[in-house]
Every structure is written in C-alpha cells, then in structure tokens.
Amino acid sequence: MTKKNIFVVEDEEDILELLRFHLSREGFTVTTAASGEEAVKSVSRKIPDLILLDLMLPGLDGLEVCRALKKDSKTSGIPIVMVTAKGEESDLVAGLELGADDYITKPFSMKVLIARVRAVLRRRRDPPADKNAPIRIHEIEINPGRHEVLIKGKPVEMTFSELRILHLLASRPGWVMTREQIVDAVRGEDYAVTDRAVDVQIVGIRRKLGARADCIETVRGVGYRFKEQE
Ligand code: CA
C-alpha cells in the first residue's frame, strides 16, 4: 500500500516538528506549510490525502484556508482536520459548515491525534449512507422507509423530524454535526426544523432512546455527535 500523505499547516515550529516526527513514525508521508498562503499554493500543486489545519495562523488564517480549498473543485474533496485552541468554538462551527471533517483541540495527545487522522481516512473510504438505508448501531435499529425505530427490538414512536435527525447522526458515527448542518439535512422534506429547534428535537430523541440516550453526545458550542461503535 502506498503511504498516505498528510499535509500539516502549523506556524508553531515545535508543534510542526512534533507532528512531523510522530506522523512519519506511524508510516505517513508528511509535507508541511507554516502559513496559510503557502498551504493553499502547495496543496493545489500536489493533492494530499488529508490536511491537518491549524486555525490560528498569521496572515491567511485556517478558516480562510479551509474556505479557499473547499471552493476549488480540485482541492474540495481533501479531508480536513482542524487543529484549534480552546475558545475557538465559533471558528470550529464555521469550519465544519465549510466542509472540514473533524477537529482536535490543543493541547492534544499524539495518540488521539493519530487515531483521529486514521478515523477520517477510514471514513472517507466508506460510501455515504443512503437517506433511507436502514441502520443498526448500539442496539438501535432505524428504518426510515418503514418509519420505524427499534431499541433492543422494541418499537419506539418518533416523529418524522426526530427519525430523520437520529438517522442522520447515526449514519455517521463519530462525526460532529453542527445545528446548521442538521437543519440543512432535514429541511426540504416538509419537516419544520429550525436551528434553535434542533436542541428541542434532540431532547425528544434522547428521551425516547431511554437507556441508549448516551449515544447522542453534545459537543459544547459546536453541535452533536453519534457515539462510535465500541
Ligand atoms: Ca497557530
């Protein structure tokens, strides 16, 4: 198998070197850039398999880099993992809505970072779930076609919006979804869901999930995530 190429954008030299060292040791090829401008230029020259993108960069910041790469059809498909400091939640939300795949908050452990990188690369190989595909995860079965949710084989009543949101989250376990992304995904199907109403829907879904309510995790200041399979 050819080595996966990870492109690291980071202006702090010691962090950059640490990332280079650990990613190389894990069998990745590592290319780097210390500024946003440099990143946009070299990424479009040679497409990497994944970009680790520091959000706080001098000049062109991480969010602008993300926007530029997602706007260009040549680079829009490259998975992006944002690297952020605490307190940058609004940038995180903006980044996820621009199409970044995941994020990690500084200070991070190398073990967690590598796991996150591998998870994003792995998910990219899986085709996205069909909107009506039945899903079975954590003893929960969701069958949109039959408008049916079963928990440990027992049927649970859900509204259309609740079922759609649950199906959306469960179809991408481990992925953080912002409220906006949830609204976008269920809108246009005549289910009245607004940004703010997503929280209310989640409360309803959790109540109905009962003992499995912990499957839907709140990501503070960002959105929601369905727990990955153990
Ligand atoms: Ca930085």
Side-chain angles (χ1 to χ4, degrees), residues 52-66:
L52 261 181
L53 176 63
D54 181 27
L55 283 191
M56 199 87 92
L57 296 167
L60 199 64
D61 71 22
L63 217 47
E64 290 167 295
V65 172
C66 188

Side-chain angles (χ1 to χ4, degrees), residues 9-12 15 34 54-58 83 85 88 106:
V9 190
E10 172 63 71
D11 61 315
E12 283 161 76
I15 299 180
D54 181 27
L55 283 191
M56 199 87 92
L57 296 167
V83 180
E88 291 182 309
K106 282 180 186 173

Side-chain angles (χ1 to χ4, degrees), residues 19-200:
L19 285 168
R20 191 205 300 279
F21 174 77
H22 285 276
L23 287 165
S24 308
R25 207 178 55 175
E26 292 292 321
F28 295 106
T29 305
V30 183
T31 28
T32 63
S35 79
E37 287 82 354
E38 196 190 329
V40 174
K41 238 185 264 165
S42 36
V43 163
S44 50
R45 265 204 308 269
K46 188 175 181 296
I47 306 289
D49 292 295
L50 183 143
I51 300 170
L52 261 181
L53 176 63
D54 181 27
L55 283 191
M56 199 87 92
L57 296 167
L60 199 64
D61 71 22
L63 217 47
E64 290 167 295
V65 172
C66 188
R67 188 173 291 122
L69 294 175
K70 290 296 173 189
K71 225 168 50 191
D72 185 344
S73 61
K74 213 176 132 199
T75 53
S76 62
I78 310 167
I80 296 179
V81 176
M82 299 177 283
V83 180
T84 73
K86 267 205 168 60
E88 291 182 309
E89 279 84 3
S90 61
D91 283 352
L92 262 184
V93 171
L96 289 169
E97 276 158 15
L98 282 172
D101 290 81
D102 204 349
Y103 67 91
I104 189 159
T105 312
K106 282 180 186 173
F108 49 79
S109 90
M110 277 300 159
K111 223 176 115 189
V112 171
L113 181 121
I114 304 273
R116 208 62 71 82
V117 164
R118 287 197 194 287
V120 170
L121 287 171
R122 191 176 58 234
R123 286 182 212 142
R124 277 285 159 154
R125 287 200 308 270
D126 304 335
D130 185 281
K131 244 176 31 178
N132 287 311
I135 293 175
R136 178 196 287 252
I137 184 170
H138 301 305
E139 301 176 301
I140 303 170
E141 287 174 65
I142 311 156
N143 193 330
R146 288 158 59 177
H147 188 77
E148 187 179 69
V149 178
L150 303 175
I151 298 170
K152 291 191 181 177
K154 283 209 189 101
V156 177
E157 285 292 324
M158 288 212 180
T159 67
F160 277 104
S161 312
E162 287 171 344
L163 188 140
R164 274 290 166 215
I165 293 172
L166 177 65
H167 186 267
L168 174 72
L169 292 169
S171 66
R172 303 174 94 188
W175 291 60
V176 181
M177 302 246 177
T178 69
R179 290 173 179 79
E180 190 70 32
Q181 286 174 318
I182 294 171
V183 173
D184 278 351
V186 296
R187 190 162 35 199
E189 304 196 43
D190 295 334
Y191 314 137
V193 181
T194 59
D195 206 8
R196 194 188 286 261
V198 168
D199 296 338
V200 178

